């Protein structure tokens, strides 16, 4: 999952336009991550959503799978790629949630289920550190985006989707 923050005025509420925008952003992903306007979650994003949404706060659904589909997204099938938009107010809510709800509380609520999905060969300490890192990275990304008043665009790239392959 690829997350990109941008000023709301720079974003069009159009699936085709956002697909091109996110493909260009993906081509510059390392530079944009270093600049603090992009982040990505490789393969663990579904479990990270479970972790965040295990918090007592209803805003826990926002950081990973929260948002709305842009205009022009197919209504009768999963868009390729799936794209979501979080408006600045939702970005602020996601940032506040991630800042206020400590990782350990989320892990206490969802960690056993997440650990079980990894299978018996995984050490709990390693899985905890992976998800602690994801939580820390999301908290930093959303904190920067909220402080700048940005919109966040999310793309679910699947093998080769960002490059047309």
């Amino acid at each position: 999952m690829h997350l990109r923050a941008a000023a709301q005025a720079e974003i069009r509420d159009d699936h085709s336009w956002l697909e091109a925008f996110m493909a260009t952003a993906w081509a510059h992903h390392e530079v944009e991550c270093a600049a603090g306007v992009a982040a990505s979650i490789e393969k663990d994003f579904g479990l990270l959503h479970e972790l965040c949404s295990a918090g007592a706060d209803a805003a826990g659904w926002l950081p990973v799978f929260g948002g709305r589909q842009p205009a022009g997204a197919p209504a009768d099938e999963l868009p390729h790629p799936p794209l979501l938009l979080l408006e600045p107010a939702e970005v602020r809510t996601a940032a506040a949630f991630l800042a206020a709800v400590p990782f350990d509380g989320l892990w206490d609520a969802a960690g056993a289920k997440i650990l079980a999905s990894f299978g018996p060969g995984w050490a709990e300490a390693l899985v905890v550190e992976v998800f602690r890192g994801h939580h820390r990275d999301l908290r930093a990304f959303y904190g920067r985006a909220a402080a700048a008043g940005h919109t966040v665009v999310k793309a679910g790239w699947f093998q080769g989707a960002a490059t047309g392959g």
Side-chain angles (χ1 to χ4, degrees):
M1 175 171 265
H2 174 205
L3 299 94
R4 175 62 161 76
Q8 191 168 21
E10 296 175 13
I11 300 298
R12 292 187 196 159
D13 185 5
D14 176 83
H15 190 272
S16 296
W17 187 90
L18 286 170
E19 180 179 2
F21 172 80
M22 291 300 282
T24 299
W26 188 252
H28 305 288
H29 186 60
E30 287 184 34
V31 171
E32 291 188 347
C33 283
V37 296
S40 59
I41 307 159
E42 189 176 336
K43 76 184 174 201
D44 293 329
F45 55 88
L47 293 172
L48 185 58
H49 174 73
E50 286 190 38
L51 180 76
C52 290
S53 61
D57 191 329
W61 68 275
L62 285 171
V64 182
F65 289 155
R68 66 172 175 80
Q69 289 190 356
D76 57 344
E77 62 185 58
L78 182 66
H80 184 73
L83 298 169
L84 294 169
L85 283 170
L86 273 182
E87 303 293 335
E90 294 171 310
V91 171
R92 286 189 302 275
T93 301
F97 166 79
L98 290 164
V101 179
F103 172 81
D104 290 336
L106 295 173
W107 187 259
D108 288 346
K113 183 177 179 183
I114 291 169
L115 183 60
S117 73
F118 275 76
W122 288 83
E124 181 174 6
L126 176 61
V127 177
V128 167
E129 285 312 305
V130 166
F131 282 87
R132 187 181 306 280
H134 287 323
H135 182 266
R136 179 186 58 244
D137 293 347
L138 273 182
R139 187 177 58 233
F141 171 77
Y142 275 105
R144 288 187 301 271
H150 283 167
T151 293
V152 169
V153 182
K154 302 174 190 179
W157 297 126
F158 300 104
Q159 192 170 20
T163 58

